[in-house]
Amino acid sequence: MDEYRFRSPEQYDQLHPTGGDGTRCVHAGLPAPVPGAPFLPGPVFAAPYHLDPWQGPATAPNGYGRPDNPTRRLLEAAIGELEGGDCRVFASGQAAITGLLLAVLRAGDTVLLPADGYFPVRAFATDTLAGNGVRVLFAPTAGPYPSFDGVRLVLVETPANPGLDVVDLRALAERVHAAGALLAVDNTTATPLGQRPLDLGADLVVASGTKALTGHSDLLLGYLATRSPELLDRLTAWRTATGAVPGAFDAWLAHRSLATLDLRLARQTANAEALARLLAARADVSGVRWPGLPDDPAYPVASRQLRRMPGVLSFDLGSAERVARFLDAARLVAAATSFGGLHTTADRRAQWGDDTAAGFVRLSCGVEDTVDLVADVTAALDATA
C-alpha cells in the first residue's frame, strides 16, 4: 500500500515543510551536532542536580528529576515535532489519559467518552470520575453523538481500540467547539504519522507510547500534546504534583526508537492489508475489521482522514477454544496483549474483561516478511477449521 496516497504531494509539503515522515522521525528532537558527541546523548540518570549555592534553581533548568530531566526534554521535543504541538510525556499511556481527565475535569463537569474505546479508561471513568462528582457519558466512536451542550470534555479514540471504528475529526471538532467544550483525541492506534489531530481541530492529543510509537515492546510510556499554553501549564503542574514521569532510560529508549517509526509502520501496514484481505476471503472467519478495506464501515472517513492505515486489525474466530488452537498452531503469531511491536501478536480481548465476544481477536502486525506471515496465518487457520 502507498502510505501517502491519501494526501497529494502539495498537501504533504504544506503540512510538513521540514521533510517527509522518515526524515522527520530520524531527526526529531535531536540536539545540534557537536564533534565527538553521539547523535542522541545517553540518558541522564539523576534525581537531584547540583544547584548554584547563591541563586538555587534559578540559574539552570535542572534542579530535581521529577519536574524535569534533559533526556525527557529531548523526547518531548521529538514527539512534539511529530504531533505538531507541545508535549509532556508520562510513565504510561494510562497515566497520561487519567492525568488528562483528572487535571481538566472538576466535580459537576460532564465528560463524553468512547463506548467502544480502551476498556480501562471506561472503568476508570465509572469507578473514579463518577465518584468524584463528574457526570460520565458514553457514545460509540462512529456515533451517533448526543448534544454537547454542558459538556466540558469530549474524548474520542480513532481508530478505536479494539473495534477500529473511525470518526471525522474536523466535523466533530466543529460541533464540540460550538458547544464550548474541549476535544481530546487518543492517537495511539494511528500514531502521529497516521494522523495529526491538532491539525484537524483537536485541543489535545493523548496516546500510549508503549505501542507502535516506540514499537519494540520494551518500555511503558504515555504522552499528551497541545497547542494551548494554558492547558500545557495545567497538565505540566499535574504531572509534577503526581510524579507520573517516565524514567530517564525509558525516555532514551523511546527517542531512539522513533527513528525507525516510518519504516516500521510501512511494513506493519502492508502486513495488515495482506492479512485483512486473506481473512475477509475466508468463510471460517467473521467480523473482519480494518479501515483500509474498501468495504469496511470506517473506510469512507478513514480514506480521507488517515495518512496511513494502522497495522492492527480485528476478527472473530467464533470461540475462545478456536482462538487458543489458532495461536498454538501459528509459528509467527504470539499470544500477547498490547500492539504495535516488531513481532506479530494476537490478543483475545475478552480474557481481560473487555466487553467483546469470546472469539474476538485483535491482531497486531509486526515487521515479518509479508509472504511468510500470510502463509503462517493461513496454515494456522486451516489447522483449526
Side-chain angles (χ1 to χ4, degrees):
M1 168 177 284
D2 178 2
E3 64 261 32
Y4 302 127
R5 73 183 188 184
F6 301 127
R7 290 288 184 271
S8 69
E10 293 77 16
Q11 289 173 314
Y12 185 78
D13 289 340
Q14 290 171 3
L15 287 171
H16 307 294
T18 57
D21 284 349
T23 301
R24 295 187 303 119
C25 288
V26 168
H27 293 277
L30 294 184
V34 175
F39 288 92
L40 178 62
V44 177
F45 298 107
Y49 302 82
H50 287 291
L51 298 177
D52 184 291
W54 295 95
Q55 301 183 57
T59 59
N62 304 316
Y64 187 63
R66 175 163 48 84
D68 216 340
N69 176 282
T71 307
R72 196 188 309 153
R73 283 199 301 273
L74 291 178
L75 174 62
E76 289 173 342
I79 297 176
E81 288 179 31
L82 298 180
E83 285 286 5
D86 292 311
C87 172
R88 293 293 179 266
V89 292
F90 286 72
S92 68
Q94 187 74 350
I97 201 165
T98 56
L100 162 65
L101 295 171
L102 290 170
V104 171
L105 298 170
R106 297 290 181 267
D109 286 343
T110 299
V111 63
L112 180 68
L113 301 175
D116 51 349
Y118 186 47
F119 178 73
V121 175
R122 286 180 277 150
F124 173 81
T126 54
D127 294 343
T128 302
L129 290 183
N132 289 348
V134 175
R135 181 174 177 239
V136 179
L137 304 177
F138 295 98
T141 297
Y145 285 88
S147 168
F148 297 132
D149 291 341
V151 174
R152 168 63 174 154
L153 175 70
V154 176
L155 171 66
V156 294
E157 182 180 19
T158 183
N161 168 32
L164 298 174
D165 273 327
V166 177
V167 64
D168 185 331
L169 287 178
R170 286 194 187 277
L172 183 64
E174 289 181 4
R175 284 191 58 196
V176 170
H177 292 155
L182 296 171
L183 175 63
V185 177
D186 187 328
N187 206 27
T188 302
T189 305
T191 83
L193 299 195
Q195 68 185 2
R196 300 220 307 180
L198 298 178
D199 289 345
L200 300 172
D203 301 286
L204 294 142
V205 173
V206 61
S208 170
T210 306
K211 300 177 175 66
L213 187 80
T214 58
H216 288 73
S217 306
D218 56 5
L219 60 89
L220 296 175
L221 189 81
Y223 70 87
L224 289 158
T226 184
R227 294 173 182 170
S228 164
E230 188 274 331
L231 287 173
L232 184 71
D233 288 345
R234 182 180 301 186
L235 297 169
T236 304
W238 173 267
R239 187 186 67 176
T240 299
T242 59
V245 296
F249 190 57
D250 280 355
W252 184 87
L253 281 175
H255 199 167
R256 175 217 58 177
S257 301
L258 286 181
T260 60
L261 177 59
D262 175 58
L263 299 173
R264 290 185 279 107
L265 292 183
R267 174 59 66 85
Q268 289 168 336
T269 296
N271 283 345
E273 179 175 26
L275 287 185
R277 294 186 184 281
L278 164 71
L279 294 167
R282 293 186 63 107
D284 59 342
V285 178
S286 64
V288 178
R289 293 296 310 271
W290 186 62
L293 289 175
D295 58 350
D296 189 274
Y299 182 81
V301 176
S303 60
R304 298 193 309 268
Q305 182 165 287
L306 296 178
R307 289 184 50 251
R308 64 179 80 201
M309 297 297 173
V312 182
L313 53 93
S314 63
F315 54 94
D316 199 314
L317 292 182
S319 69
E321 189 265 344
R322 188 180 179 207
V323 174
R325 287 191 288 116
F326 165 73
L327 291 170
D328 272 344
R331 296 181 303 107
L332 300 180
V333 183
T337 193
S338 194
F339 57 89
L342 299 174
H343 308 87
T344 296
T345 62
D347 189 13
R348 193 177 69 82
R349 291 303 302 163
Q351 68 187 329
W352 302 102
D354 208 341
D355 50 353
T356 55
F360 176 90
V361 176
R362 181 187 66 199
L363 190 141
S364 170
C365 294
V367 299
E368 298 90 351
D369 286 334
T370 303
V371 64
D372 295 334
L373 189 57
V374 169
D376 185 58
V377 170
T378 300
L381 289 172
D382 288 346
T384 65

